[in-house]
């Protein structure tokens, strides 16, 4: 819990730091602007204050719990410092220390001086303020401390903050185009989508839906997942592809041990076609090497070759527990474990093929009526979030 004194004062400030953007050379301004833009759009209606770029950081001249919760979900933010801004005068910092320090803690002062014209160096400021605390009967120790106080000396302000909250990290969105994520009702694909949305991309979603095994109401689960994932973006879209007729045909024409692979190849074919039409640069899946039969190396090779654009699969080397851990942190886990029969489980074998050959799959597909793909694409439904 962040101190109320720190948040509800006229000179309350949030100092937002980024990390990876700082390595972007000439593109840095582009990334910074994208981040500021994302922050300000998310804070519309929450505060009238605007976040502003300020020499390697972003400053927001206000602070409250709600704003902090929003900032914690914005890709590109490394950490969030909560404190005050004052004029370039250490006496003003001392006044703030008077208000917020307690005898229970041992403080360390950590200063960064960007403004090289300021009369004291960072170590001198650390020492001066630590001496001040000690002179007032408080504890300060540069090594054995219980609480760190951060001070940043900028060109026209000093920022002092007491709580540094870790952000999502990654890159701000809208810097690298958009991708289309194949979202099932499972645990993996929402986490995969989240991982990619931290890499500068806008993620939209596609779900293949069979209404013989699921009612329309069951789609609520998919919508809930998209809605949760959209908290990490500005807005998003979900495409729902009716998969029933194609699946029926696949069940008729393909032996059960290959069905999952053929379903998957059709998902990739349809998703690629939609992606090309709607300008998505890549697909995303929650695939994970060796997790299920359809995700062996051979099967990844034969299924992925059905896509006509790159497929990103950020969970490929994860343990299930690592994925679950992220799912819990981002709030998708509770939704993913709600009951929902995955359409791809429809009439697949207990002993699926683990070493498929492309030629075999293509031979089965020759029997499948291509009109069904066109029909499915024609009937895609689009929902905006
Ligand atoms: P998940 O937990 O994401 O469902 P999984 O371990 O159950 O993954 P599969 O069912 O083989 O594995 O699915 C692998 C990937 O294929 C999913 O992560 C998802 O990207 C995609 N996928 C599977 N079913 C669907 C579907 N009905 N609609 C869209 N994408 C799907
Ligand atoms: Mg699944």
């Amino acid at each position: 819990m962040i101190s109320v004194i720190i948040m509800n004062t006229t000179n309350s400030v949030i100092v937002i730091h980024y990390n990876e953007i700082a390595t972007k050379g000439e593109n840095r301004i582009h990334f910074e602007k994208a981040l500021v833009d994302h922050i300000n759009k998310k804070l519309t209606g929450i505060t009238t204050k605007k976040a502003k770029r300020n020499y390697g950081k972003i400053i927001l001249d206000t602070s409250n719990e709600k704003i902090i919760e929003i900032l914690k979900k914005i890709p590109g933010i490394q950490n969030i410092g909560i404190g005050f801004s004052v004029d370039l005068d250490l006496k003003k910092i001392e006044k703030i220390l008077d208000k917020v320090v307690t005898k229970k803690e041992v403080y360390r002062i950590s200063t960064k001086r960007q403004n090289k014209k300021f009369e004291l160096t960072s170590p001198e400021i650390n020492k001066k303020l630590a001496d001040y605390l000690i002179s007032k009967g408080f504890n300060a120790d540069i090594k054995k401390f219980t609480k760190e106080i951060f001070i940043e000396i900028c060109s026209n302000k000093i920022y002092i903050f007491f709580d540094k909250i870790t952000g999502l990290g990654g890159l701000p969105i809208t810097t690298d185009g958009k991708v289309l994520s194949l979202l099932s009702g499972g645990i993996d694909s929402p986490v995969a989508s989240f991982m990619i949305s931290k890499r500068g991309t806008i993620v939209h979603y596609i779900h293949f839906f069979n209404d013989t095994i699921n009612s329309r109401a069951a789609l609520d689960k998919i919508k809930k997942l998209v809605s949760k994932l959209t908290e990490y973006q500005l807005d998003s879209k979900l495409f729902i592809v009716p998969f029933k007729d194609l699946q029926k045909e696949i069940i008729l024409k393909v032996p059960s041990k290959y069905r999952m692979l053929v379903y998957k190849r059709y998902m990739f074919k349809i998703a690629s076609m939609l992606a090309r039409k709607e300008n998505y640069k890549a697909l995303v899946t929650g695939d994970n090497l060796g997790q299920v039969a359809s995700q062996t190396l051979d099967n990844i090779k034969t299924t992925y070759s059905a896509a006509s654009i790159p497929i990103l699969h950020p969970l490929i080397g994860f343990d299930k527990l690592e994925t679950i851990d992220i799912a819990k942190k981002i709030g998708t886990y509770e939704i993913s474990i709600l009951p929902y029969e995955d359409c791809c489980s429809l009439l697949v074998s207990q002993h699926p093929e683990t070493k498929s050959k492309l030629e075999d799959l293509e031979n089965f597909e020759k029997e499948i009526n291509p009109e069904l793909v066109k029909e499915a694409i024609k009937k895609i439904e689009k929902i905006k979030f």
Side-chain angles (χ1 to χ4, degrees):
M1 178 58 77
I2 295 141
S3 157
V4 173
I5 320 170
I6 296 175
M7 292 213 291
N8 296 336
T9 320
T10 45
N11 58 346
S12 290
V13 76
I14 297 181
V15 181
I16 298 162
H17 293 103
Y18 38 80
N19 183 15
E20 261 188 76
I21 306 177
T23 63
K24 290 290 166 199
E26 284 179 5
N27 282 332
R28 178 177 165 152
I29 286 197
H30 174 66
F31 281 88
E32 286 177 352
K33 283 187 174 160
L35 183 54
V36 170
D37 188 52
H38 190 168
I39 294 170
N40 286 331
K41 281 187 177 143
K42 280 284 186 187
L43 295 182
T44 306
I46 311 275
T47 171
T48 51
K49 302 275 187 194
K50 294 278 173 228
K52 293 192 184 92
R53 292 190 298 131
N54 185 325
Y55 299 101
K57 56 182 144 313
I58 293 167
I59 303 294
L60 181 67
D61 283 316
T62 182
S63 168
N64 65 45
E65 292 276 359
K66 200 165 178 187
I67 293 174
I68 291 157
E69 282 314 304
I70 292 172
L71 295 177
K72 276 158 75 178
K73 291 185 175 164
I74 297 183
I77 294 180
Q78 195 62 31
N79 60 57
I80 304 156
I82 300 149
F84 301 100
S85 67
V86 295
D87 295 334
L88 293 173
D89 177 358
L90 287 190
K91 286 267 170 288
K92 297 201 168 157
I93 293 286
E94 289 173 1
K95 278 203 179 126
I96 287 178
L97 291 176
D98 289 343
K99 276 192 222 155
V100 298
V101 293
T102 73
K103 298 217 160 134
K104 277 188 260 160
E105 308 276 4
V106 181
Y107 294 98
R108 171 195 167 123
I109 312 278
S110 299
T111 304
K112 268 200 217 155
R113 186 181 59 134
Q114 231 161 38
N115 174 356
K116 299 296 176 204
K117 288 188 188 140
F118 193 76
E119 67 263 20
L120 298 176
T121 64
S122 300
E124 284 167 351
I125 297 166
N126 293 343
K127 177 150 190 340
K128 194 166 182 259
L129 292 174
D131 287 348
Y132 175 78
L133 287 179
I134 291 165
S135 75
K136 293 275 171 172
F138 297 102
N139 305 308
D141 190 318
I142 199 158
K143 286 202 178 113
K144 290 186 199 136
F145 60 96
T146 56
K147 199 157 178 64
E148 197 166 6
I149 298 176
F150 303 91
I151 292 181
E152 296 196 7
I153 314 272
C154 296
S155 58
N156 53 357
K157 288 276 176 202
I158 301 178
Y159 299 104
I160 171 166
F161 46 98
F162 305 85
D163 291 283
K164 214 173 185 181
I165 296 172
T166 306
L168 282 184
L171 294 171
I173 56 159
T174 75
T175 53
D176 197 23
K178 50 178 194 168
V179 299
L180 189 59
S181 181
L182 282 87
L183 190 70
S184 69
I187 294 168
D188 300 332
S189 45
V191 174
S193 312
F194 166 76
M195 301 291 289
I196 295 299
S197 69
K198 271 178 47 175
R199 302 306 311 163
T201 50
I202 296 170
V203 182
H204 289 173
Y205 303 90
I206 182 166
H207 177 70
F208 292 81
F209 178 66
N210 185 324
D211 60 8
T212 47
I213 54 167
N214 277 310
S215 68
R216 289 260 342 154
L219 274 179
D220 277 353
K221 176 177 174 179
I222 305 299
K223 290 184 204 160
K224 273 193 192 133
L225 281 171
V226 176
S227 172
K228 178 50 78 183
L229 289 163
T230 308
E231 290 176 14
Y232 300 91
Q233 309 232 317
L234 286 170
D235 45 34
S236 138
K237 280 179 200 160
L238 165 65
F239 297 92
I240 298 166
V241 186
F243 208 34
K244 179 176 69 181
D245 294 341
L246 248 171
Q247 281 198 307
K248 262 197 207 157
E249 174 90 344
I250 293 169
I251 289 165
L252 274 179
K253 307 277 170 68
V254 179
S256 64
K257 70 191 277 201
Y258 293 101
R259 270 178 208 149
M260 180 60 114
L261 302 176
V262 177
Y263 292 156
K264 221 164 159 184
R265 280 176 55 84
Y266 276 91
M267 289 201 281
F268 288 147
K269 287 182 198 201
I270 291 172
S272 302
M273 287 182 211
L274 180 71
R276 284 170 168 273
K277 186 165 149 249
E278 304 268 341
N279 265 327
Y280 295 98
K281 291 185 187 169
L283 304 179
V284 180
T285 74
D287 283 331
N288 179 266
L289 196 58
Q291 193 187 78
V292 291
S294 60
Q295 298 171 20
T296 61
L297 267 186
D298 286 317
N299 288 347
I300 283 183
K301 187 173 166 209
T302 53
T303 52
Y304 279 33
S305 68
S308 58
I309 59 170
I311 300 179
L312 310 176
H313 39 73
L315 308 188
I316 201 74
F318 274 37
D319 291 349
K320 190 75 185 184
L321 289 180
E322 290 174 293
T323 305
I324 289 177
D325 196 37
I326 299 175
K328 285 184 177 164
K329 280 192 191 130
I330 64 173
T332 54
Y333 182 76
E334 293 304 319
I335 309 169
S336 289
I337 58 173
L338 296 171
Y340 182 88
E341 191 69 36
D342 187 352
C343 69
C344 288
S345 56
L346 202 63
L347 297 189
V348 291
S349 164
Q350 296 292 350
H351 304 286
E353 180 57 61
T354 53
K355 292 188 170 152
S356 60
K357 296 202 174 54
L358 184 58
E359 199 190 338
D360 293 338
L361 301 182
E362 282 175 345
N363 278 335
F364 298 132
E365 287 169 15
K366 282 185 192 144
E367 304 298 314
I368 289 167
N369 178 1
E371 285 306 310
L372 294 173
V373 172
K374 287 190 197 149
E375 273 300 299
I377 289 177
K378 226 191 274 169
K379 290 185 189 151
I380 289 178
E381 189 185 330
K382 180 164 85 180
I383 304 174
K384 288 191 177 170
F385 288 79

